[in-house]
């Protein structure tokens, strides 16, 4: 669930990077670079996510790397619980910030 949670948010951010910015990070650290790119305002758009949300999403990204590279047996509940406890507030914050970006897109698309 933690892996899927982060991955779905990342998919949305990748879509914005590709479709709105016209460029997606491609370095070895592209996951982190994507978060940074989406937290920056540029001439075409406001930041999609806040620096505070990037900080929390970075914790989920670290888990994603652990999940993909380690055995599930090595994962302990006492270490995972703090991250699991952040899912609801992180979801709410991500939803609100992404919806604010959607409203920006909608306002840009309306005829003058």
């Amino acid at each position: 669930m933690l892996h899927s949670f982060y991955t779905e948010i990342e998919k949305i951010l990748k879509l914005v990077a590709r479709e709105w910015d016209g460029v997606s990070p491609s370095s070895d650290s592209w996951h982190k670079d994507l978060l940074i790119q989406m937290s920056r305002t540029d001439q075409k758009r406001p930041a999609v996510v806040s620096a505070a949300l990037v900080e929390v999403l970075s914790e989920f990204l670290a888990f994603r790397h652990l999940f993909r590279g380690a055995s599930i047996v090595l994962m302990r509940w006492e270490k995972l619980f703090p991250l699991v406890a952040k899912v609801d507030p992180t979801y709410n914050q991500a939803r609100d910030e992404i919806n604010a970006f959607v409203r920006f897109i909608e306002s840009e698309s309306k005829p003058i």
Side-chain angles (χ1 to χ4, degrees), residues 6 32 35-36 39 49-62 83 86 90 93 97:
Y6 175 79
K32 186 69 172 170
L35 292 175
I36 293 166
S39 70
V49 294
S50 65
L53 182 57
V54 166
E55 188 175 322
V56 177
L57 289 174
S58 294
E59 295 177 49
F60 286 93
L61 174 57
L83 197 55
K86 291 181 180 182
T90 303
Q93 184 176 0
E97 292 184 16

Side-chain angles (χ1 to χ4, degrees), residues 9-55:
I9 293 173
E10 187 177 72
K11 284 180 188 178
I12 293 168
L13 300 179
K14 280 177 23 182
L15 179 65
V16 172
R18 186 179 69 239
E19 298 298 322
W20 193 265
D21 293 358
V23 63
S24 295
S26 59
S27 69
D28 288 343
S29 62
W30 75 264
H31 299 277
K32 186 69 172 170
D33 295 343
L34 177 66
L35 292 175
I36 293 166
Q37 179 180 334
M38 293 294 99
S39 70
R40 292 190 174 141
T41 299
D42 67 21
Q43 293 178 341
K44 294 190 251 177
R45 62 160 178 80
V48 179
V49 294
S50 65
L53 182 57
V54 166
E55 188 175 322

Side-chain angles (χ1 to χ4, degrees), residues 46-48 94-107:
V48 179
R95 180 198 61 217
D96 293 347
E97 292 184 16
I98 291 169
N99 281 337
F101 183 70
V102 168
R103 287 189 298 278
F104 164 77
I105 291 172
E106 290 171 347
S107 73

Side-chain angles (χ1 to χ4, degrees), residues 52-90:
L53 182 57
V54 166
E55 188 175 322
V56 177
L57 289 174
S58 294
E59 295 177 49
F60 286 93
L61 174 57
F63 170 79
R64 178 192 175 280
H65 288 305
L66 173 67
F67 180 81
R68 289 199 166 188
S71 167
I72 196 76
V73 174
L74 298 176
M75 296 183 196
R76 305 268 187 251
W77 175 247
E78 58 274 2
K79 293 192 179 214
L80 293 178
F81 178 76
L83 197 55
V84 171
K86 291 181 180 182
V87 169
D88 281 342
T90 303

